[in-house]
Each structure stands twice: as structure tokens, then as C-alpha cells.
Amino acid sequence: DESPGRYKVRDLSLAVAGRHQIRLAEHEMPGLMALRAEYGAAQPLAGARIAGSIHMTVQTAVLIETLTALGADVRWASCNIFSTQDEAAAAVAVGPDGTPAAPTGVPVFAWKGETLAEYWECTEQILAWPGDVRPNMILDDGGDATLLVHRGVEVEAAGAVPSDIAPGEPGYAEEANVVLAVLRRSLAADAGRWTAIAAEIVGVTEETTTGVHRLYQLAEAGQLLFPAINVNDSVTKSKFDNKYGIRHSLPDGLNRATDTLMGGKVALVAGYGDVGKGAAEALRGQGARVVISEVDPICALQAVMDGYEVARVDDVVGAADFVITTTGNRDVVTAVHLAAMKDKAIVGNIGHFDNEIDIAGLAATPGVVRVEIKPQVHEWTFPDGHSVILLSEGRLLNLGNATGHPSFVMSTSFTNQVIAQIELFTRRAEYPTGVHRLPKVLDEKVARLHLAALGVQLTELTKTQAEYLGVDPAGPYKPDHYRY
Ligand code: NAI
């Protein structure tokens, strides 16, 4: 279903089902609904033109409609080829007041099962506003929209796009060449397009660990073109979404993909950061025997103190029934590891990109055969007859095989996102080019909004207690270096 430049989704008739789910999600997203009540009249995002790239789920639909309720114009794409919920995308495109025959919603460019070329076209679409209009804000998850603008400016400055990287050459990745193709096409059509877009961007708010990592790298290299707010490192984001969200959505993905009992099995989790902690807790909760691998001695010590075995992937990979990567790093599970696994071992990644598990190396293993069990579930059989079950082709399995985190925890993340958009858009002098975090008092505000919804009574400091601790009774309650 397509109308050029307006939207591109799987099927607008799914909008009715999507709208019902959005309505139920609103009930579970008290932070976002509170922001609508607090800021709806003031319209702080009037004039904001937000290019948004986050998994196009039901929860994201509530985020998008909160941004528009606060006055923003929005265009949206998913930040992963498998993570769109088609009914949510349809409902957002149709809009709360539109019909599939006469959609009045937000231009969405997302469907489940995009090719890489389609994925980058969708990312380009959210930055290509009609006529002479350009976006002035980015809301990103993993940094692909931000990357496209930065790469575009780079090639426009050089006046040329580098040639494709051949398979076997250093840096080769199918996706890198797809991006080069987009840039080549856009340079031929308009050699100043990305520079003009970058000049108008007030800033970006970034959702995830991997995207934040990219932003700090750009800033350190002196290449960051506009201010950024690191939403991930709000305490009410990474210590909640990354941990409790994963605790819910990892077993959800494993169950929907394979329905294999976890109890009694050996589960190897690579990485014991926020995501790894949630993953390990979920697997242990199901009765799995969990083994952690870590490179950071602090996280390894935490894992062992929490009662997990800690070992190297090399040493235990042959014993694991489940292998889950959560590192945000590359080459954590290699083709050699995959070949050494137990028969029917279930392998999946929940970190942001698909380079944690070496799928290309697996595909290049002589004699290996791939069979699709169902979409996003593949059995790879080795010449000796044993096989591994690979989920979502190595892309984040909680969104590829299930529907990602539940609404309540996404409300904590997305309340930070909306506050960050308001901060950047309305208080520009406070946020020069560089990577910033939200002030702690706003982090505490996000928590407060969600506590109230759970009926929790917070204890209030007396004046004497507050003076004794040297804090304001209204917060913030902790110094910035406190780690929670
Ligand atoms: P983190 O930095 O807290 O944790 C990653 C951990 O992996 C670190 O402790 C690090 O020492 C460890 N690590 C790095 N290389 C390793 C290796 N070779 N072997 C073993 N351990 C290794 O990051 P966080 O917040 O846990 O995020 C991890 C990834 O998950 C990121 O890519 C992030 O963007 C993504 N993410 C995915 C979500 C989802 O819904 N699927 C939700 C939130 C984050």
C-alpha cells in the first residue's frame, strides 16, 4: 500500500486491529499520557519536524501520537528490518481520526520483513520531507538516521561517494554498500541535500547503548554535526528498559520462535551489562542453568556474585542449549562456535546489530544447509548432520520473533525521549553541540509518573532529614556519580 512520499506500510486495513492495541497500550503508558496532559495545551513541539527511527511497534505508536499531541510534525521508519508490527504501522498511518480509505495520520515507512535496500530507503524517506521542507529534529534508535545525515554531509564535502567494498575486502558488509548506493543516488540528484538537512537539525535524541556509543565516537572525533541527548543513560531508561524489558521480551521471543522448555537447560549469555542482567534473570527464572561470559572484570564479578557460572564462550559453547548475545560488540559468536554447538542449540542475539553472531561466516561454511522453519526461525545443518536453530537471522530476537518490550517499561523509555525532544527543541542554549544527558530531576520525574500509576506511596524527606543529607526535599536525591 503506497502513496509516494506519504506512507509505505504492509496493509492499511490492519489499522483497526492496531488502534485497539494502541488504546490498550495507552493505559499501560502512564508517563506518555501524563506528558500529553501536562503539555498538550502549551504545544512545546509546535514547529518541530521530527524524523523518527525506532522499531515501529504499538508502544512506538503511542510515542508518535504523544509527539504530535505536543505539536510536532513527524515522519517515521523502523530501525530494524524485522521489528515492525504491521498493524501498529497501519494504525499510525491511518491516524486516530482517519480511515483506511482516507488516512490522515503520520507518514510511516515501515513493514515487517524489509530488505536492507528497502530499510535504507525508508530511513531516507523520514529525512525527505515534501517540497522545500526539511526535518529539524531526529529521534533515533541505534543511530542509523544520524549516520545517514553524517555520511551524506561527508560525501557532499568530498564531492564523491567511495566505491563499493568487495566481499573479502576489509570492512565489507552488504549493508555498507547499500548505504553507499543510497548516497550515490542522492548525490546525483541533489549534491547539497544532506548539508542543508544537517544545517537545520537542532539535535538528536538517541535511544540505545549502541547508538549512544556511535554519538560519543563522533563527538570525540570532532565530527558530530549537532547536539545530542543520550536518552539511554537516563537511569529510568537503561536500568529499566534494557534490564526489565529484556527480562520480559527475551523469553517471549524464545517461546514464540521455538516453544522449547528452558528449565534444566544450559543457557549461555554473552555480556552482563544491563541487557545481559535482564536476560540472565529471565532464563534463571525459567529454571535454566545460566553461564555468563564477560570481558569486563567488574561485570564478571557481578555475575558470579549473583550466582551465575562465568566462563569463556570457547570453553562452554558445546554444552549450551541456548546461546544469547547481549554485548553490542561484534564477532562474539563465530562460525567456529556455531559449528561446535550441540545439536539443535538455539542461538539468538538481542544486542542492537547483527554482527554479534557471524552469520556470513556460517553461510560460508562448506556444506552447510539452511532451512526456514518459519519466518525469522532458521535451521542450519552442518555436513555431519547436527544443526543449530538461528533466530531472526542474528538481529534482535525480542523484536524479530516477538513484539519487543511491553508497554509499561517502554513508557519509562519514551517519556525520557519526549522530555529530551522538548529540552533540545525549546532550550537550545543549554545544549551546545556535544552529547548530553537529561538532568537528574527529570529522570526522577519519569520515575515518579510511573510510581503513581502503580499505586506506590513514596516516603517524603522531612526538612531536617533533607538538611542532614544536604539535598532538596523535592530532589534530586543523589549526586550524578551515583550508580543505582
Ligand atoms: P552494556 O554496555 O551495559 O553491556 C554490554 C556488556 O557486554 C558489557 O558489560 C561488556 O563488557 C560486555 N561485552 C563486550 N564485549 C564482550 C565480549 N566479546 N564477550 C562478552 N562480553 C562482552 O550495554 P547494554 O545496555 O546491556 O546493551 C547491550 C546491547 O543491547 C546494545 O547493543 C544495546 O543497544 C542493545 N539493546 C537492545 C535492546 C533490545 O530490546 N533488544 C534493548 C536495550 C539495548
PDB file of all heavy atoms in Angstrom, residues 127-159:
ATOM      1  N   LEU A 127      13.751  11.464   6.265  1.00  0.00           N
ATOM      2  CA  LEU A 127      14.537  12.698   6.214  1.00  0.00           C
ATOM      3  C   LEU A 127      14.176  13.536   4.988  1.00  0.00           C
ATOM      4  O   LEU A 127      14.641  14.657   4.830  1.00  0.00           O
ATOM      5  CB  LEU A 127      16.033  12.351   6.211  1.00  0.00           C
ATOM      6  CG  LEU A 127      16.498  11.724   7.535  1.00  0.00           C
ATOM      7  CD1 LEU A 127      17.702  10.824   7.342  1.00  0.00           C
ATOM      8  CD2 LEU A 127      16.791  12.812   8.566  1.00  0.00           C
ATOM      9  N   ALA A 128      13.334  12.968   4.104  1.00  0.00           N
ATOM     10  CA  ALA A 128      12.949  13.656   2.863  1.00  0.00           C
ATOM     11  C   ALA A 128      11.527  14.180   3.024  1.00  0.00           C
ATOM     12  O   ALA A 128      10.566  13.481   2.741  1.00  0.00           O
ATOM     13  CB  ALA A 128      13.030  12.680   1.696  1.00  0.00           C
ATOM     14  N   TRP A 129      11.414  15.411   3.511  1.00  0.00           N
ATOM     15  CA  TRP A 129      10.079  15.982   3.702  1.00  0.00           C
ATOM     16  C   TRP A 129       9.604  16.579   2.382  1.00  0.00           C
ATOM     17  O   TRP A 129      10.407  16.930   1.520  1.00  0.00           O
ATOM     18  CB  TRP A 129      10.102  17.025   4.838  1.00  0.00           C
ATOM     19  CG  TRP A 129      10.326  16.370   6.167  1.00  0.00           C
ATOM     20  CD1 TRP A 129      11.361  15.530   6.479  1.00  0.00           C
ATOM     21  CD2 TRP A 129       9.497  16.438   7.318  1.00  0.00           C
ATOM     22  NE1 TRP A 129      11.215  15.078   7.773  1.00  0.00           N
ATOM     23  CE2 TRP A 129      10.084  15.623   8.315  1.00  0.00           C
ATOM     24  CE3 TRP A 129       8.311  17.106   7.615  1.00  0.00           C
ATOM     25  CZ2 TRP A 129       9.529  15.465   9.581  1.00  0.00           C
ATOM     26  CZ3 TRP A 129       7.759  16.955   8.879  1.00  0.00           C
ATOM     27  CH2 TRP A 129       8.356  16.143   9.848  1.00  0.00           C
ATOM     28  N   PRO A 130       8.299  16.708   2.193  1.00  0.00           N
ATOM     29  CA  PRO A 130       7.803  17.196   0.905  1.00  0.00           C
ATOM     30  C   PRO A 130       8.230  18.648   0.633  1.00  0.00           C
ATOM     31  O   PRO A 130       8.395  19.430   1.575  1.00  0.00           O
ATOM     32  CB  PRO A 130       6.276  17.103   1.048  1.00  0.00           C
ATOM     33  CG  PRO A 130       5.979  16.472   2.363  1.00  0.00           C
ATOM     34  CD  PRO A 130       7.228  16.395   3.147  1.00  0.00           C
ATOM     35  N   GLY A 131       8.404  18.962  -0.638  1.00  0.00           N
ATOM     36  CA  GLY A 131       8.731  20.332  -1.057  1.00  0.00           C
ATOM     37  C   GLY A 131      10.073  20.768  -0.517  1.00  0.00           C
ATOM     38  O   GLY A 131      11.029  20.001  -0.474  1.00  0.00           O
ATOM     39  N   ASP A 132      10.131  22.019  -0.067  1.00  0.00           N
ATOM     40  CA  ASP A 132      11.386  22.581   0.423  1.00  0.00           C
ATOM     41  C   ASP A 132      11.560  22.389   1.926  1.00  0.00           C
ATOM     42  O   ASP A 132      12.479  22.953   2.524  1.00  0.00           O
ATOM     43  CB  ASP A 132      11.434  24.086   0.125  1.00  0.00           C
ATOM     44  CG  ASP A 132      11.796  24.330  -1.327  1.00  0.00           C
ATOM     45  OD1 ASP A 132      12.348  23.393  -1.950  1.00  0.00           O
ATOM     46  OD2 ASP A 132      11.505  25.428  -1.827  1.00  0.00           O
ATOM     47  N   VAL A 133      10.669  21.636   2.513  1.00  0.00           N
ATOM     48  CA  VAL A 133      10.694  21.484   3.974  1.00  0.00           C
ATOM     49  C   VAL A 133      11.732  20.431   4.362  1.00  0.00           C
ATOM     50  O   VAL A 133      11.918  19.452   3.659  1.00  0.00           O
ATOM     51  CB  VAL A 133       9.289  21.066   4.473  1.00  0.00           C
ATOM     52  CG1 VAL A 133       9.257  20.962   5.983  1.00  0.00           C
ATOM     53  CG2 VAL A 133       8.247  22.068   3.977  1.00  0.00           C
ATOM     54  N   ARG A 134      12.422  20.680   5.469  1.00  0.00           N
ATOM     55  CA  ARG A 134      13.402  19.704   5.967  1.00  0.00           C
ATOM     56  C   ARG A 134      13.120  19.407   7.432  1.00  0.00           C
ATOM     57  O   ARG A 134      12.552  20.238   8.139  1.00  0.00           O
ATOM     58  CB  ARG A 134      14.820  20.268   5.818  1.00  0.00           C
ATOM     59  CG  ARG A 134      15.355  20.164   4.395  1.00  0.00           C
ATOM     60  CD  ARG A 134      16.725  20.771   4.261  1.00  0.00           C
ATOM     61  NE  ARG A 134      16.641  22.216   4.231  1.00  0.00           N
ATOM     62  CZ  ARG A 134      16.442  22.931   3.116  1.00  0.00           C
ATOM     63  NH1 ARG A 134      16.349  22.339   1.942  1.00  0.00           N
ATOM     64  NH2 ARG A 134      16.346  24.243   3.163  1.00  0.00           N
ATOM     65  N   PRO A 135      13.553  18.214   7.881  1.00  0.00           N
ATOM     66  CA  PRO A 135      13.373  17.920   9.302  1.00  0.00           C
ATOM     67  C   PRO A 135      14.277  18.819  10.137  1.00  0.00           C
ATOM     68  O   PRO A 135      15.313  19.278   9.650  1.00  0.00           O
ATOM     69  CB  PRO A 135      13.823  16.461   9.412  1.00  0.00           C
ATOM     70  CG  PRO A 135      14.755  16.263   8.262  1.00  0.00           C
ATOM     71  CD  PRO A 135      14.262  17.155   7.162  1.00  0.00           C
ATOM     72  N   ASN A 136      13.875  19.079  11.394  1.00  0.00           N
ATOM     73  CA  ASN A 136      14.782  19.834  12.270  1.00  0.00           C
ATOM     74  C   ASN A 136      15.102  19.086  13.561  1.00  0.00           C
ATOM     75  O   ASN A 136      15.840  19.598  14.410  1.00  0.00           O
ATOM     76  CB  ASN A 136      14.252  21.253  12.548  1.00  0.00           C
ATOM     77  CG  ASN A 136      12.835  21.242  13.117  1.00  0.00           C
ATOM     78  OD1 ASN A 136      12.353  20.212  13.570  1.00  0.00           O
ATOM     79  ND2 ASN A 136      12.189  22.400  13.088  1.00  0.00           N
ATOM     80  N   MET A 137      14.561  17.881  13.713  1.00  0.00           N
ATOM     81  CA  MET A 137      14.886  17.048  14.880  1.00  0.00           C
ATOM     82  C   MET A 137      15.011  15.596  14.405  1.00  0.00           C
ATOM     83  O   MET A 137      14.311  15.187  13.480  1.00  0.00           O
ATOM     84  CB  MET A 137      13.777  17.104  15.936  1.00  0.00           C
ATOM     85  CG  MET A 137      13.539  18.456  16.600  1.00  0.00           C
ATOM     86  SD  MET A 137      14.885  18.996  17.671  1.00  0.00           S
ATOM     87  CE  MET A 137      14.733  17.868  19.043  1.00  0.00           C
ATOM     88  N   ILE A 138      15.886  14.842  15.072  1.00  0.00           N
ATOM     89  CA  ILE A 138      15.940  13.391  14.826  1.00  0.00           C
ATOM     90  C   ILE A 138      15.662  12.694  16.152  1.00  0.00           C
ATOM     91  O   ILE A 138      16.123  13.135  17.206  1.00  0.00           O
ATOM     92  CB  ILE A 138      17.326  12.957  14.277  1.00  0.00           C
ATOM     93  CG1 ILE A 138      17.591  13.612  12.916  1.00  0.00           C
ATOM     94  CG2 ILE A 138      17.413  11.433  14.150  1.00  0.00           C
ATOM     95  CD1 ILE A 138      18.962  13.293  12.319  1.00  0.00           C
ATOM     96  N   LEU A 139      14.889  11.623  16.078  1.00  0.00           N
ATOM     97  CA  LEU A 139      14.694  10.747  17.237  1.00  0.00           C
ATOM     98  C   LEU A 139      15.166   9.371  16.754  1.00  0.00           C
ATOM     99  O   LEU A 139      14.585   8.812  15.830  1.00  0.00           O
ATOM    100  CB  LEU A 139      13.221  10.751  17.648  1.00  0.00           C
ATOM    101  CG  LEU A 139      12.880  10.107  18.998  1.00  0.00           C
ATOM    102  CD1 LEU A 139      11.576  10.674  19.542  1.00  0.00           C
ATOM    103  CD2 LEU A 139      12.786   8.608  18.892  1.00  0.00           C
ATOM    104  N   ASP A 140      16.252   8.890  17.336  1.00  0.00           N
ATOM    105  CA  ASP A 140      16.966   7.760  16.734  1.00  0.00           C
ATOM    106  C   ASP A 140      17.095   6.608  17.723  1.00  0.00           C
ATOM    107  O   ASP A 140      17.093   6.804  18.940  1.00  0.00           O
ATOM    108  CB  ASP A 140      18.373   8.238  16.324  1.00  0.00           C
ATOM    109  CG  ASP A 140      18.795   7.697  14.964  1.00  0.00           C
ATOM    110  OD1 ASP A 140      18.092   6.825  14.425  1.00  0.00           O
ATOM    111  OD2 ASP A 140      19.832   8.166  14.453  1.00  0.00           O
ATOM    112  N   ASP A 141      17.243   5.403  17.175  1.00  0.00           N
ATOM    113  CA  ASP A 141      17.471   4.209  17.988  1.00  0.00           C
ATOM    114  C   ASP A 141      18.523   3.374  17.274  1.00  0.00           C
ATOM    115  O   ASP A 141      18.216   2.694  16.292  1.00  0.00           O
ATOM    116  CB  ASP A 141      16.159   3.426  18.152  1.00  0.00           C
ATOM    117  CG  ASP A 141      16.314   2.177  19.010  1.00  0.00           C
ATOM    118  OD1 ASP A 141      17.452   1.718  19.238  1.00  0.00           O
ATOM    119  OD2 ASP A 141      15.283   1.639  19.457  1.00  0.00           O
ATOM    120  N   GLY A 142      19.759   3.493  17.737  1.00  0.00           N
ATOM    121  CA  GLY A 142      20.859   2.789  17.081  1.00  0.00           C
ATOM    122  C   GLY A 142      21.663   3.692  16.167  1.00  0.00           C
ATOM    123  O   GLY A 142      22.762   3.349  15.743  1.00  0.00           O
ATOM    124  N   GLY A 143      21.103   4.875  15.842  1.00  0.00           N
ATOM    125  CA  GLY A 143      21.888   5.897  15.164  1.00  0.00           C
ATOM    126  C   GLY A 143      21.908   5.833  13.645  1.00  0.00           C
ATOM    127  O   GLY A 143      22.700   6.540  13.016  1.00  0.00           O
ATOM    128  N   ASP A 144      21.025   5.040  13.024  1.00  0.00           N
ATOM    129  CA  ASP A 144      21.105   4.948  11.561  1.00  0.00           C
ATOM    130  C   ASP A 144      20.666   6.241  10.862  1.00  0.00           C
ATOM    131  O   ASP A 144      21.269   6.629   9.853  1.00  0.00           O
ATOM    132  CB  ASP A 144      20.279   3.762  11.052  1.00  0.00           C
ATOM    133  CG  ASP A 144      21.029   2.433  11.193  1.00  0.00           C
ATOM    134  OD1 ASP A 144      22.235   2.455  11.518  1.00  0.00           O
ATOM    135  OD2 ASP A 144      20.407   1.373  10.972  1.00  0.00           O
ATOM    136  N   ALA A 145      19.633   6.917  11.371  1.00  0.00           N
ATOM    137  CA  ALA A 145      19.207   8.176  10.740  1.00  0.00           C
ATOM    138  C   ALA A 145      20.315   9.225  10.896  1.00  0.00           C
ATOM    139  O   ALA A 145      20.647   9.950   9.951  1.00  0.00           O
ATOM    140  CB  ALA A 145      17.900   8.673  11.363  1.00  0.00           C
ATOM    141  N   THR A 146      20.915   9.256  12.089  1.00  0.00           N
ATOM    142  CA  THR A 146      22.015  10.192  12.352  1.00  0.00           C
ATOM    143  C   THR A 146      23.207   9.872  11.450  1.00  0.00           C
ATOM    144  O   THR A 146      23.849  10.771  10.886  1.00  0.00           O
ATOM    145  CB  THR A 146      22.413  10.086  13.837  1.00  0.00           C
ATOM    146  OG1 THR A 146      21.241  10.326  14.621  1.00  0.00           O
ATOM    147  CG2 THR A 146      23.495  11.078  14.211  1.00  0.00           C
ATOM    148  N   LEU A 147      23.466   8.574  11.289  1.00  0.00           N
ATOM    149  CA  LEU A 147      24.596   8.148  10.446  1.00  0.00           C
ATOM    150  C   LEU A 147      24.385   8.576   8.999  1.00  0.00           C
ATOM    151  O   LEU A 147      25.304   9.072   8.346  1.00  0.00           O
ATOM    152  CB  LEU A 147      24.745   6.625  10.521  1.00  0.00           C
ATOM    153  CG  LEU A 147      25.773   5.981   9.604  1.00  0.00           C
ATOM    154  CD1 LEU A 147      26.597   4.963  10.386  1.00  0.00           C
ATOM    155  CD2 LEU A 147      25.155   5.293   8.403  1.00  0.00           C
ATOM    156  N   LEU A 148      23.142   8.413   8.501  1.00  0.00           N
ATOM    157  CA  LEU A 148      22.882   8.758   7.097  1.00  0.00           C
ATOM    158  C   LEU A 148      23.143  10.241   6.848  1.00  0.00           C
ATOM    159  O   LEU A 148      23.770  10.608   5.857  1.00  0.00           O
ATOM    160  CB  LEU A 148      21.441   8.370   6.724  1.00  0.00           C
ATOM    161  CG  LEU A 148      21.107   8.376   5.238  1.00  0.00           C
ATOM    162  CD1 LEU A 148      22.029   7.457   4.448  1.00  0.00           C
ATOM    163  CD2 LEU A 148      19.644   7.980   5.012  1.00  0.00           C
ATOM    164  N   VAL A 149      22.711  11.099   7.774  1.00  0.00           N
ATOM    165  CA  VAL A 149      22.947  12.538   7.607  1.00  0.00           C
ATOM    166  C   VAL A 149      24.460  12.819   7.631  1.00  0.00           C
ATOM    167  O   VAL A 149      24.986  13.543   6.773  1.00  0.00           O
ATOM    168  CB  VAL A 149      22.227  13.345   8.712  1.00  0.00           C
ATOM    169  CG1 VAL A 149      22.591  14.821   8.624  1.00  0.00           C
ATOM    170  CG2 VAL A 149      20.707  13.166   8.621  1.00  0.00           C
ATOM    171  N   HIS A 150      25.166  12.211   8.592  1.00  0.00           N
ATOM    172  CA  HIS A 150      26.610  12.456   8.691  1.00  0.00           C
ATOM    173  C   HIS A 150      27.366  11.944   7.458  1.00  0.00           C
ATOM    174  O   HIS A 150      28.244  12.618   6.929  1.00  0.00           O
ATOM    175  CB  HIS A 150      27.182  11.836   9.974  1.00  0.00           C
ATOM    176  CG  HIS A 150      26.927  12.676  11.190  1.00  0.00           C
ATOM    177  ND1 HIS A 150      25.702  12.737  11.810  1.00  0.00           N
ATOM    178  CD2 HIS A 150      27.743  13.516  11.887  1.00  0.00           C
ATOM    179  CE1 HIS A 150      25.769  13.578  12.847  1.00  0.00           C
ATOM    180  NE2 HIS A 150      27.007  14.061  12.912  1.00  0.00           N
ATOM    181  N   ARG A 151      27.008  10.747   6.986  1.00  0.00           N
ATOM    182  CA  ARG A 151      27.673  10.214   5.785  1.00  0.00           C
ATOM    183  C   ARG A 151      27.341  11.073   4.574  1.00  0.00           C
ATOM    184  O   ARG A 151      28.189  11.314   3.708  1.00  0.00           O
ATOM    185  CB  ARG A 151      27.231   8.766   5.507  1.00  0.00           C
ATOM    186  CG  ARG A 151      27.663   7.720   6.519  1.00  0.00           C
ATOM    187  CD  ARG A 151      29.147   7.488   6.618  1.00  0.00           C
ATOM    188  NE  ARG A 151      29.853   7.267   5.392  1.00  0.00           N
ATOM    189  CZ  ARG A 151      30.007   6.098   4.780  1.00  0.00           C
ATOM    190  NH1 ARG A 151      29.474   5.022   5.306  1.00  0.00           N
ATOM    191  NH2 ARG A 151      30.679   5.990   3.658  1.00  0.00           N
ATOM    192  N   GLY A 152      26.081  11.557   4.504  1.00  0.00           N
ATOM    193  CA  GLY A 152      25.670  12.396   3.386  1.00  0.00           C
ATOM    194  C   GLY A 152      26.487  13.682   3.329  1.00  0.00           C
ATOM    195  O   GLY A 152      26.983  14.082   2.270  1.00  0.00           O
ATOM    196  N   VAL A 153      26.658  14.318   4.492  1.00  0.00           N
ATOM    197  CA  VAL A 153      27.442  15.560   4.549  1.00  0.00           C
ATOM    198  C   VAL A 153      28.897  15.284   4.130  1.00  0.00           C
ATOM    199  O   VAL A 153      29.508  16.056   3.379  1.00  0.00           O
ATOM    200  CB  VAL A 153      27.373  16.162   5.972  1.00  0.00           C
ATOM    201  CG1 VAL A 153      28.373  17.293   6.145  1.00  0.00           C
ATOM    202  CG2 VAL A 153      25.945  16.636   6.281  1.00  0.00           C
ATOM    203  N   GLU A 154      29.410  14.148   4.591  1.00  0.00           N
ATOM    204  CA  GLU A 154      30.800  13.751   4.277  1.00  0.00           C
ATOM    205  C   GLU A 154      30.990  13.603   2.762  1.00  0.00           C
ATOM    206  O   GLU A 154      31.946  14.143   2.200  1.00  0.00           O
ATOM    207  CB  GLU A 154      30.997  12.392   4.946  1.00  0.00           C
ATOM    208  CG  GLU A 154      32.365  12.016   5.408  1.00  0.00           C
ATOM    209  CD  GLU A 154      32.245  10.647   6.117  1.00  0.00           C
ATOM    210  OE1 GLU A 154      31.800  10.646   7.283  1.00  0.00           O
ATOM    211  OE2 GLU A 154      32.547   9.612   5.482  1.00  0.00           O
ATOM    212  N   VAL A 155      30.069  12.891   2.102  1.00  0.00           N
ATOM    213  CA  VAL A 155      30.261  12.674   0.660  1.00  0.00           C
ATOM    214  C   VAL A 155      30.005  13.962  -0.129  1.00  0.00           C
ATOM    215  O   VAL A 155      30.654  14.200  -1.148  1.00  0.00           O
ATOM    216  CB  VAL A 155      29.416  11.501   0.094  1.00  0.00           C
ATOM    217  CG1 VAL A 155      29.743  10.200   0.779  1.00  0.00           C
ATOM    218  CG2 VAL A 155      27.937  11.782   0.128  1.00  0.00           C
ATOM    219  N   GLU A 156      29.121  14.811   0.381  1.00  0.00           N
ATOM    220  CA  GLU A 156      28.899  16.077  -0.320  1.00  0.00           C
ATOM    221  C   GLU A 156      30.133  16.970  -0.211  1.00  0.00           C
ATOM    222  O   GLU A 156      30.490  17.660  -1.157  1.00  0.00           O
ATOM    223  CB  GLU A 156      27.651  16.775   0.235  1.00  0.00           C
ATOM    224  CG  GLU A 156      26.368  16.122  -0.286  1.00  0.00           C
ATOM    225  CD  GLU A 156      25.076  16.630   0.338  1.00  0.00           C
ATOM    226  OE1 GLU A 156      25.138  17.569   1.152  1.00  0.00           O
ATOM    227  OE2 GLU A 156      24.024  16.072   0.019  1.00  0.00           O
ATOM    228  N   ALA A 157      30.789  16.931   0.939  1.00  0.00           N
ATOM    229  CA  ALA A 157      32.022  17.721   1.099  1.00  0.00           C
ATOM    230  C   ALA A 157      33.107  17.189   0.172  1.00  0.00           C
ATOM    231  O   ALA A 157      33.876  17.955  -0.416  1.00  0.00           O
ATOM    232  CB  ALA A 157      32.475  17.685   2.556  1.00  0.00           C
ATOM    233  N   ALA A 158      33.166  15.853   0.042  1.00  0.00           N
ATOM    234  CA  ALA A 158      34.203  15.245  -0.818  1.00  0.00           C
ATOM    235  C   ALA A 158      33.812  15.327  -2.290  1.00  0.00           C
ATOM    236  O   ALA A 158      34.665  15.193  -3.167  1.00  0.00           O
ATOM    237  CB  ALA A 158      34.414  13.789  -0.413  1.00  0.00           C
ATOM    238  N   GLY A 159      32.509  15.515  -2.555  1.00  0.00           N
ATOM    239  CA  GLY A 159      32.027  15.576  -3.935  1.00  0.00           C
ATOM    240  C   GLY A 159      31.939  14.210  -4.600  1.00  0.00           C
ATOM    241  O   GLY A 159      31.729  14.124  -5.810  1.00  0.00           O
TER     242      GLY A 159
END
